[in-house]
């Protein structure tokens, strides 16, 4: 009995300690229970698929095996598995539809011990998630490559976990979309929201209305075959594809070929700048609804998902205000303002969608009691807007707080929960009306070259927020795992690391990039919508400057801030002051080596002041550190240093120096 108790206690303790460890899993599963031992991964390892949908699951397994082979350098034997081989058995209970649908079972469980592994799933889409988890378990230690013994039971917290990709402001080619889908699957996102039309571009072929793409896209559009290919590619990775055709505003590119759809006669040309523009569809003409009916019907042949996004945001109403036809229509239909007009328009479009068996999705602005409550509202304005949607009996998803183009750190996005926020108080039975959320990659300052570095790795943190239990919220642990996932995503083909280096290399020409990188590593682009205020941008402006290469979140600055915190917690602890000093001296001295490179490159001329800024700021850090270490008060100098540091916060070349806040902390702490 006693022995039993001890065993039980030991087991329980081990279980407790280890279960709280998240390994390198991201998103963290609903339940993880680590065991003893491991499954060796060597050339005898094989994956065996049983049960229904085995063809599809076999293909997914083959892709995972290929990645496993790349990561380990092991050549795995083709099936059948050798006797006594370590095998991952996959058992699927139910057939899955060709494309995933909202709310479909995505659960899976994994059990690994020294002899083998078992992946069980309700259907193929659970298999896809389970295989990604299995790969994340791979580790290399003194026993070689292996998978630790573990039992995992997993399913998502929210059924709608999306990423919006704007392919209109800048063109995003097929290969980039496909690798984006690969990345989404790796972190268990399940909705690609494909923003296909805008003032700046109409990006899909219409056979029925060919002037949409031929006049509205500069030749940069997806053929219908390509769009179908994306839908199929996504489905094999458990991802729904929802097209967005923003209307009645954000529609200039439609009007280039079909000016009769607009509320003013035109002519129109593709919009080349960023912002909210006047052109809007003419709500008064039956021909507009007939056109939309035909167009939507055509698109439903490509996009099987029951949801269809009609945008609906940011209609400024100026064209409506200046149209005599709209004024008359307003009067005849007792519509009191432009919002009423948009509601009328939306009701008509909603009828069209219903005929084509689609549910309407739109941004906050579409919410109105007269629309059927089976619409889904995507909130870009915040939790209050989301609450309004729920109160009205509709379902909603959150995108406010998940705007990747705002260049905020992963920790910020990680802290935003669809079910917790200002103004959102939901009864228990209303909570299921919040379906989840979507990260948004708006592309004003994004090209095929830097889009990966804007999406990844931060989106993995959002993916975890939408998949994992809400109490998985340890920011430090998130960053630890994010660093790991970031590398995995790069191995998968995402270019967020490679393109950074490539862009820095191009900026320096034939010079070495390390000194530029030392500077660039502690910079971040300005936040929110500051860029268009600093200079005039158009669609043709090359996005090839340092601000376009620099990553949205500086890991070096974050790690420096952590070092400052830990130093201040215990200044006498061996090594911390020294580590701080080394970093600060390296930064201070960087300018000497960098200026010769900067001064010979027209592209880098704007960086000259930034490099000097790094020197000055680092010197202030060293002054503060010296005061701390020597216990010699700054005295009269403090005020001047604080003022100088505060002035350094002004951006240069649309870039912010991110070590300033931790140096401020250091200065405040100095005697
Ligand atoms: C939006 O950001 N206007 C949806």
């Amino acid at each position: 009995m006693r022995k039993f108790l001890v065993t039980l206690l030991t087991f329980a303790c081990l279980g407790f300690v280890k279960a709280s460890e998240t390994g390198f899993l991201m998103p963290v599963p609903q339940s993880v229970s680590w065991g003893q031992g491991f499954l060796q991964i060597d050339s005898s390892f094989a994956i065996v698929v049983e049960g229904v949908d085995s063809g599809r699951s076999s293909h997914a397994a083959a892709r995972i095996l290929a990645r496993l082979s790349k990561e380990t350098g092991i050549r795995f034997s083709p099936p059948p598995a050798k006797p006594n081989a370590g095998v991952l058995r996959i058992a699927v209970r139910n057939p899955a539809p060709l494309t995933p649908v909202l709310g479909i079972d995505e659960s899976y469980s994994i059990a690994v011990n020294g002899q083998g592994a078992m992946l069980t799933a309700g259907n193929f889409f659970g298999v896809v998630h389970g295989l990604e988890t299995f790969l994340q378990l791979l580790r290399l230690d003194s026993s070689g490559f292996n998978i630790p013994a573990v039992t995992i039971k997993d399913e998502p917290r929210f059924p709608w976990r999306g990423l919006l990709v704007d392919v209109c402001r800048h063109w995003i080619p097929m290969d980039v979309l496909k690798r984006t889908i690969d990345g989404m699957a790796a972190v268990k996102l399940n909705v690609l929201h494909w923003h296909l039309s805008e003032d700046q571009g109409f990006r899909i072929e219409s056979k029925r209305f060919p002037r949409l793409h031929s006049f509205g896209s500069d030749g940069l559009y997806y053929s219908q075959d390509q769009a179908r290919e994306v839908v199929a590619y996504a489905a094999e990775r458990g991802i729904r594809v929802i097209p967005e055709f923003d209307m009645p505003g954000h529609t200039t590119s439609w009007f280039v070929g079909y000016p009769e759809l607009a509320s003013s006669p035109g002519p129109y040309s593709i919009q080349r700048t960023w912002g909210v523009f006047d052109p809007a569809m003419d709500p008064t003409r039956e021909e507009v609804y007939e056109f939309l009916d035909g167009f939507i019907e055509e698109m439903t042949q490509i996009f099987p998902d029951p949801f269809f996004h009609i945008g609906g945001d940011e209609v400024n109403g100026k064209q409506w205000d200046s149209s005599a036809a709209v004024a008359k229509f307003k009067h005849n239909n007792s519509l009191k303002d432009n919002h009423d007009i948009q509601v009328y328009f939306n009701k008509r479009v909603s009828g069209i969608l219903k005929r084509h068996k689609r549910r309407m999705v739109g941004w906050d602005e579409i919410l109105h009691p007269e629309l059927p409550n089976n619409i889904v509202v995507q909130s870009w304005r915040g939790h209050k807007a989301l609450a309004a949607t729920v109160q009205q009996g509709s379902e909603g998803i959150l995108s406010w707080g998940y705007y990747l183009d705002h260049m905020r750190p992963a920790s910020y996005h990680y802290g935003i929960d669809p079910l917790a926020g200002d103004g959102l108080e939901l009864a228990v039975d209303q909570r299921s009306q919040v379906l989840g959320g979507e990260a948004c990659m708006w592309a004003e300052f994004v090209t095929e070259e830097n889009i990966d570095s804007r999406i990844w790795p931060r989106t993995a943190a959002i993916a975890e927020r939408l998949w994992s239990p809400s109490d998985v919220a340890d920011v430090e642990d998130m960053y630890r795992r994010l660093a790991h996932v970031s590398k995995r995503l790069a191995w998968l083909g995402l270019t967020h690391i490679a393109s950074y280096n490539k862009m820095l290399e191009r900026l320096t020409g034939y010079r070495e990039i390390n000194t530029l990188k030392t500077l660039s590593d502690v910079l971040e682009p300005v936040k929110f919508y500051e860029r268009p205020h600093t200079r005039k941008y158009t669609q043709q402006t090359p996005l090839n400057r340092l601000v376009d290469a620099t990553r949205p979140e500086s890991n070096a600055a974050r790690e420096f801030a952590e070092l400052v915190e830990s130093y201040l917690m215990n200044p006498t602890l061996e090594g911390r002051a020294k580590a701080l000093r080394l970093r600060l001296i390296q930064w201070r001295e960087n300018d000497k080596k960098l200026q010769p490179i900067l001064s010979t490159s027209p592209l880098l001329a704007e960086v000259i002041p930034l490099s000097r800024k790094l020197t000055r700021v680092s010197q202030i850090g060293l002054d503060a550190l010296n005061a701390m270490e020597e216990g010699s008060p700054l005295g009269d100098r403090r005020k001047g240093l604080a003022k100088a540091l505060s002035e350094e916060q002004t951006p240069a070349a649309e870039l912010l120096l991110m070590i300033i806040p931790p140096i401020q902390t250091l200065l405040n702490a100095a005697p």
Side-chain angles (χ1 to χ4, degrees):
M1 181 64 193
R2 205 190 143 120
K3 186 165 173 227
F4 173 70
L5 254 183
V6 169
T7 313
L8 194 72
L9 276 174
T10 312
F11 195 76
C13 282
L14 274 178
F16 176 75
V17 172
K18 289 201 168 177
S20 68
E21 286 174 13
T22 48
F24 288 107
L25 300 174
M26 192 166 200
V28 169
Q30 300 294 325
S31 108
V32 182
S33 167
W34 301 101
Q36 302 284 330
F38 56 83
L39 174 67
Q40 192 77 46
I41 300 293
D42 56 28
S43 62
S44 70
F45 176 75
I47 304 182
V48 175
V49 182
E50 297 161 351
V52 294
D53 264 350
S54 57
R56 257 177 132 181
S57 293
S58 295
H59 285 134
R63 291 196 301 268
I64 291 290
L65 210 55
R67 283 160 68 191
L68 197 61
S69 191
K70 266 192 196 165
E71 288 189 31
T72 59
I74 296 168
R75 204 184 108 216
F76 299 104
S77 333
K82 294 183 190 131
N84 303 321
V87 162
L88 168 63
R89 250 170 233 294
I90 299 180
V92 188
R93 288 189 294 270
N94 302 302
L98 211 53
T99 49
V101 290
L102 175 67
I104 198 165
D105 182 8
E106 296 180 89
S107 69
Y108 69 91
S109 56
I110 291 177
V112 182
N113 63 29
Q115 280 71 54
M118 184 84 201
L119 163 55
T120 317
N123 64 53
F124 167 69
F125 300 116
V127 171
V128 168
H129 295 318
L131 283 168
E132 292 290 347
T133 300
F134 186 80
L135 191 61
Q136 285 186 348
L137 288 165
L138 179 70
R139 66 183 185 187
L140 173 63
D141 58 23
S142 55
S143 310
F145 287 104
N146 65 83
I147 307 273
V150 71
T151 303
I152 291 174
K153 290 197 187 335
D154 203 9
E155 63 181 346
R157 179 175 168 219
F158 292 106
W160 189 309
R161 307 176 308 279
L163 170 65
L164 174 151
V165 182
D166 168 10
V167 296
C168 302
R169 270 55 177 255
H170 285 99
W171 167 243
I172 301 300
M174 280 291 282
D175 59 330
V176 181
L177 273 184
K178 283 188 173 176
R179 70 182 188 234
T180 302
I181 290 169
D182 290 340
M184 292 173 68
V187 295
K188 303 184 172 58
L189 289 174
N190 69 352
V191 178
L192 172 66
H193 173 163
W194 204 357
H195 187 81
L196 279 164
S197 69
E198 255 304 338
D199 295 304
Q200 295 87 357
F202 194 98
R203 301 291 183 205
I204 188 166
E205 175 191 25
S206 170
K207 295 190 199 289
R208 204 171 279 186
F209 304 108
R211 278 181 284 157
L212 284 173
H213 66 274
S214 61
F215 285 40
S217 76
D218 304 304
L220 299 171
Y221 63 90
Y222 310 99
S223 70
Q224 296 200 350
D225 284 346
Q226 286 177 320
R228 287 194 177 91
E229 194 181 327
V230 167
V231 170
Y233 190 87
E236 289 314 294
R237 287 151 185 82
I239 294 169
R240 302 159 54 207
V241 178
I242 298 186
E244 178 185 353
F245 296 97
D246 206 343
M247 61 182 81
H250 286 280
T251 35
T252 308
S253 68
W254 302 58
F255 304 155
V256 184
Y258 299 94
E260 64 273 23
L261 296 174
S263 307
S264 294
Y268 293 89
S269 55
I270 295 173
Q271 179 56 248
R272 301 299 180 187
T273 60
W274 316 136
V276 175
F277 301 96
D278 301 346
M281 287 180 178
D282 185 347
T284 72
R285 296 185 57 228
E286 280 311 304
E287 292 85 343
V288 170
Y289 302 107
E290 283 159 21
F291 185 105
L292 288 175
D293 192 12
F295 176 72
I296 287 170
E297 185 193 28
E298 183 182 14
M299 290 300 113
T300 60
Q301 306 304 308
I302 300 168
F303 299 105
D305 201 273
F307 290 85
F308 197 98
H309 205 303
I310 60 108
D313 58 323
E314 298 180 317
V315 181
N316 72 13
K318 286 190 186 166
Q319 273 201 346
W320 293 348
D321 290 337
S322 60
S323 155
V326 173
K328 187 165 159 225
F329 180 80
K330 219 160 117 179
H331 178 77
N332 290 348
N333 290 279
S334 309
L335 305 171
K336 67 178 183 309
D337 54 20
N338 286 335
H339 182 62
D340 276 5
I341 296 176
Q342 196 178 345
V343 171
Y344 173 91
F345 176 86
N346 286 344
K347 284 199 295 197
R348 296 293 305 269
V349 175
S350 148
I352 294 169
L353 287 173
K354 188 173 174 200
R355 263 205 307 290
H356 298 298
K357 301 189 171 49
R358 291 297 183 275
R359 277 177 69 182
M360 182 189 272
V361 191
W363 300 101
D364 288 326
E365 290 95 323
I366 72 162
L367 185 67
H368 193 273
E370 285 175 31
L371 279 178
N373 64 7
N374 77 344
I375 59 170
V376 168
V377 180
Q378 181 165 16
S379 173
W380 66 285
R381 292 176 168 174
H383 285 96
K384 267 199 188 112
L386 187 59
T389 294
V390 171
Q391 299 307 346
Q392 207 166 291
S394 290
E395 292 173 316
I397 54 178
L398 185 69
S399 276
W400 175 88
Y402 300 138
Y403 269 38
L404 299 167
D405 57 320
H406 287 185
M407 301 283 168
R408 307 199 66 151
S411 56
Y412 169 80
H413 299 303
Y414 197 58
I416 307 285
D417 192 307
L419 279 174
D422 222 13
L424 186 78
E425 274 158 37
L426 299 180
V428 174
D429 62 347
Q430 289 177 319
R431 294 167 76 85
S432 62
Q433 285 168 247
V434 176
L435 299 174
E438 283 187 5
C440 291
M441 185 69 272
W442 299 108
E444 282 88 345
F445 296 98
V446 156
T447 66
E448 60 179 288
E449 188 172 56
N450 71 0
I451 187 170
D452 291 6
S453 74
R454 275 59 190 138
I455 298 178
W456 308 107
R458 293 179 300 157
T459 295
I462 300 173
E464 175 156 291
R465 180 51 55 243
L466 298 173
W467 177 283
S468 304
S470 60
D471 62 358
V472 175
D474 180 334
V475 171
E476 203 177 310
D477 192 56
M478 179 275 285
Y479 274 117
R480 181 184 64 80
R481 289 176 292 113
L482 192 67
H484 207 84
V485 165
S486 179
K487 286 186 187 156
R488 271 238 142 76
L489 289 166
W491 302 341
L492 187 51
L494 274 312
T495 66
H496 52 299
I497 299 167
S499 75
Y500 176 54
N501 287 316
K502 179 184 79 174
M503 292 176 83
L504 291 185
E505 271 182 4
R506 196 173 54 208
L507 282 166
T508 51
Y510 299 96
R511 317 289 193 101
E512 58 85 20
I513 68 161
N514 288 335
T515 40
L516 180 61
K517 202 166 177 181
T518 298
L519 171 63
S520 179
D521 277 350
V522 288
L523 299 173
E524 288 180 11
V526 290
K527 310 295 160 187
F528 309 108
Y529 300 115
E530 277 178 49
R531 284 193 70 178
H533 299 301
T534 41
R535 60 166 73 192
K536 186 169 160 46
Y537 281 99
T538 80
Q539 198 173 35
Q540 288 102 340
T541 306
L543 296 179
N544 64 340
R545 291 158 56 217
L546 189 60
V547 63
D548 302 303
T550 301
R551 293 171 294 192
E553 180 169 15
S554 162
N555 282 330
R558 186 171 49 77
E559 282 158 19
F560 179 71
E562 285 165 11
L563 190 59
V564 167
E565 290 295 332
S566 73
Y567 166 72
L568 292 178
M569 222 121 62
N570 191 349
T572 56
L573 207 71
E574 175 73 25
R576 287 184 186 171
K578 192 173 164 201
L580 276 180
R581 187 178 302 281
L582 281 176
R583 288 259 58 187
L584 288 165
I585 290 174
Q586 188 204 8
W587 285 330
R588 186 187 61 185
E589 301 303 314
N590 196 63
D591 184 58
K592 285 196 198 87
K593 289 176 278 174
L594 187 53
Q595 286 300 344
I597 296 173
L598 301 181
S599 60
T600 56
S601 160
L603 282 171
L604 290 174
E606 63 174 351
V607 183
I608 290 172
L610 264 170
S611 178
R612 300 216 163 107
K613 188 195 283 279
L614 179 62
T615 296
R616 290 191 302 269
V617 165
S618 306
Q619 184 57 55
I620 296 175
L622 283 163
D623 289 348
L625 185 63
N626 288 340
M628 291 280 298
E629 288 295 289
E630 290 155 18
S632 56
L634 288 166
D636 294 346
R637 295 178 59 215
R638 172 188 300 283
K639 229 171 143 184
L641 291 174
K643 183 161 176 285
L645 194 56
S646 161
E647 283 164 7
E648 300 288 7
Q649 285 184 317
T650 314
E654 296 166 51
L655 287 158
L656 296 163
L657 181 55
M658 299 310 293
I659 59 166
I660 294 177
I663 287 181
Q664 247 155 4
T665 306
L666 198 60
L667 186 61
N668 291 342

